[in-house]
Amino acid sequence: MKDFDIQSGKVLTAQMFIDGQWTAGSSRETIEVENPANEAVIATTPLGTAEDAAAAVDAARRAQVAWAKVPAVERGRVVRKLGELVLARTDEFARLITAEQGKPLDQAKGEVGATAEFLFHAADNARRIEGDILVSDNPDEEIHIRRHPYGVVVGLTSWNYPAALATRKLGPALVAGNGFVLLAHEITPLSGLFIAFLAVQAGVPAGLFNVVAGRGAQVGQALVEHPDTALITMTGSNRAGREIFKAGAEGMKVLRLELGGKAPFIVLEDADIDKAVDAAVVARYTNCGQICTCNERMYLHKDIADEFLEKFVAKSAALTIGDPMGNPDMGPKVSGLEVDKVASIIQTAVTEGAEVLLEGGPLSEGEYAKGHWMAPTVLEVKNNAASVVQNEVFGPVVPAIRVDDFEQALALANDTAFGLSAYVFTQNHRRIMQTPYALNFGEIYVNRANGEQVHAFHNGWGQSGLGGEDGKYGFDAYLRKQSLYVNWA
């Protein structure tokens, strides 16, 4: 492939990237890539097969042997170069993301920045691959704990952040000395393919990084089950995570699964209400609510609930919705199926007794006649067992529940199978310090909106996954440990 021009009005014919070559794959069948803002077909990609998956893993396995022998600092330089190329193509890359995923252009530019930052931080870790020397119980002996790459890593990513989620996994995997195979999500495959396009220019060796296109049920399963796949790192739904867990069990695969969330947003009576409202809006509606750490359910102290809801509903209603290339507050949902899913959630919530404070839902008239559009919906719910409170929405819908005190808020927040992210707004230092002990979530935001940082650690508890990403703990997950007993007696 020579370019990724999607502005010309022509349908781009994209190819997979396997063993350093662009290829149409073995089936010769294709998948159409749709612009969610207008339903226009902007590209076609190959419909990958198990045969293509095997070719990609085989290529990564062969290339990884030599790559693991390259000094880590040199591996880091190649990954850093890729990050620099990503930044140099920010405008072009952002337009590509917006065209296939639907997020507003400024948010897409933010994703490109994050895409590069994941690579830069991974490169910084090149000199942080450390081991340990332990004193042995035996005379004239030491125990060395060493770190080695796994071999072939398979990355499975979601469609909501198709570029950033890819390099979040790719960067540390390569710096640690692994080969990598990415399954580009069938809805948003172009971002991953564009990263491969830039990886060639960055000097990533042929075969080390491969991008396969196709459907998860076929290609993803083949990648997971391949005998040479050692580690699977996946970001996606709980359903997909469970399927990967089962598929990887026979081969005893190492799994890193970042799954869904149902983040509680707790606002107490002593909170800065305006700050909390602004954060709640950002945390609910960014990327049309399609973020696993989004504000999914609000627990509002009864003394401030009326004020908070009045301001929150007003700000929600004022959000602009439109052509994402024009930078509205919200673009479209990623697909028609996603719109139907969220619309069904709203209808069920109303049937179960939710009070509609702001009626949004699907938009389909006038300027919204083409595309997959939804307006914000705000509900007030009395029952914490309601489906809209318990199930991940992943769209611009949020239920609110009034609580009597901090303790009740904590109890209701923990009444969930999920454990990814949570929010607490209070100015009481004692409550702030109680929060990490009281909330069963892997990531907690206190008095701020969401947005994790590359040097921290992003992980879920419970049904929100296994393992985690980012920082030194995330990087260490791409290295396996070996014990070496050295006796010189």
Side-chain angles (χ1 to χ4, degrees), residues 118-134:
F118 283 128
L119 294 168
F120 293 149
H121 185 69
D124 289 342
N125 277 322
R127 286 192 171 96
R128 296 171 184 154
I129 299 175
E130 300 174 344
D132 299 282
I133 298 178
L134 307 179

Side-chain angles (χ1 to χ4, degrees), residues 285 321 330 346 358-363 373-377 396-397:
Y285 301 118
I321 305 168
M330 281 174 46
I346 296 171
L358 177 63
E359 185 175 2
L363 303 173
W373 305 96
M374 294 203 81
T377 297
V397 178

Side-chain angles (χ1 to χ4, degrees), residues 8 164 166 169 255 452:
S8 64
K169 303 171 186 300
L255 302 176
E452 57 269 19

Side-chain angles (χ1 to χ4, degrees), residues 323-347:
D323 181 0
M325 291 293 182
N327 277 319
D329 295 315
M330 281 174 46
K333 284 282 288 174
V334 76
S335 71
L337 287 176
E338 278 292 309
V339 171
D340 292 343
K341 181 202 77 173
V342 177
S344 177
I345 290 172
I346 296 171
Q347 183 57 52

Side-chain angles (χ1 to χ4, degrees), residues 47-385:
L47 177 63
T49 64
E51 182 180 341
D52 299 320
V57 174
D58 290 344
R61 176 184 54 79
R62 294 192 302 271
Q64 186 272 332
V65 175
W67 180 247
K69 297 176 182 178
V70 174
V73 69
E74 295 297 328
R75 300 195 298 253
R77 288 192 179 107
V78 173
V79 170
R80 180 171 293 279
K81 177 62 176 177
L82 176 56
E84 292 168 350
L85 291 172
V86 167
L87 279 187
R89 306 286 285 270
T90 294
D91 289 345
E92 177 184 359
F93 203 168
R95 289 195 298 272
L96 185 72
I97 293 170
T98 294
E100 70 172 347
Q101 197 275 333
K103 61 170 57 76
L105 189 60
D106 278 349
Q107 292 181 32
K109 290 180 180 179
E111 180 176 351
V112 175
T115 301
E117 280 300 317
F118 283 128
L119 294 168
F120 293 149
H121 185 69
D124 289 342
N125 277 322
R127 286 192 171 96
R128 296 171 184 154
I129 299 175
E130 300 174 344
D132 299 282
I133 298 178
L134 307 179
V135 176
S136 174
D137 293 348
N138 302 321
D140 301 322
E141 185 173 273
E142 290 179 342
I143 307 168
H144 297 190
I145 309 299
R146 305 167 61 86
R147 282 173 169 81
H148 296 271
Y150 278 92
V152 177
V153 175
V154 164
L156 309 172
T157 59
S158 179
W159 45 257
N160 59 332
Y161 282 87
L165 291 176
T167 59
R168 185 181 221 169
K169 303 171 186 300
L170 173 67
L174 293 188
V175 173
N178 297 289
F180 197 87
V181 180
L182 173 70
L183 174 58
H185 196 284
E186 63 197 75
I187 295 178
T188 55
L190 302 181
S191 294
L193 293 169
F194 189 62
I195 293 169
F197 180 75
L198 298 179
V200 175
Q201 301 173 37
V204 175
L208 190 68
F209 174 36
N210 306 270
V211 182
V212 184
R215 304 193 191 283
Q218 291 80 39
V219 182
Q221 183 165 349
L223 290 171
V224 170
E225 294 179 347
H226 194 287
D228 288 329
T229 296
L231 186 155
I232 299 103
T233 171
M234 177 265 195
T235 300
S237 69
N238 293 74
R239 176 196 55 77
R242 287 191 293 270
E243 291 175 358
I244 290 167
F245 195 99
K246 293 175 183 177
E250 185 67 26
M252 297 295 290
K253 307 297 186 180
V254 178
L255 302 176
R256 316 294 294 183
L257 305 177
E258 198 253 291
L259 309 177
K262 191 65 182 175
F265 194 99
I266 298 171
V267 185
L268 299 173
E269 77 279 7
D270 63 336
D272 181 328
I273 300 303
D274 290 332
K275 182 178 181 180
V277 168
D278 288 343
V281 169
V282 170
R284 176 64 273 176
Y285 301 118
T286 298
N287 197 23
C288 201
Q290 299 168 136
I291 306 177
C292 57
T293 61
C294 265
N295 161 25
E296 281 267 340
R297 50 198 171 112
M298 301 190 297
Y299 297 103
L300 311 174
H301 192 281
K302 60 184 180 181
D303 291 349
I304 53 87
D306 287 339
E307 178 186 358
F308 180 95
L309 286 171
E310 181 181 359
K311 292 179 176 180
F312 180 77
V313 168
K315 284 184 176 290
S316 300
L319 294 174
T320 57
I321 305 168
D323 181 0
M325 291 293 182
N327 277 319
D329 295 315
M330 281 174 46
K333 284 282 288 174
V334 76
S335 71
L337 287 176
E338 278 292 309
V339 171
D340 292 343
K341 181 202 77 173
V342 177
S344 177
I345 290 172
I346 296 171
Q347 183 57 52
T348 299
V350 173
T351 300
E352 292 178 344
E355 179 185 355
V356 180
L357 304 183
L358 177 63
E359 185 175 2
L363 303 173
S364 58
E365 298 181 357
E367 63 181 299
Y368 306 115
K370 285 287 187 180
H372 311 303
W373 305 96
M374 294 203 81
T377 297
V378 182
L379 306 170
E380 184 163 358
V381 180
K382 290 183 170 58
N383 184 2
N384 201 59

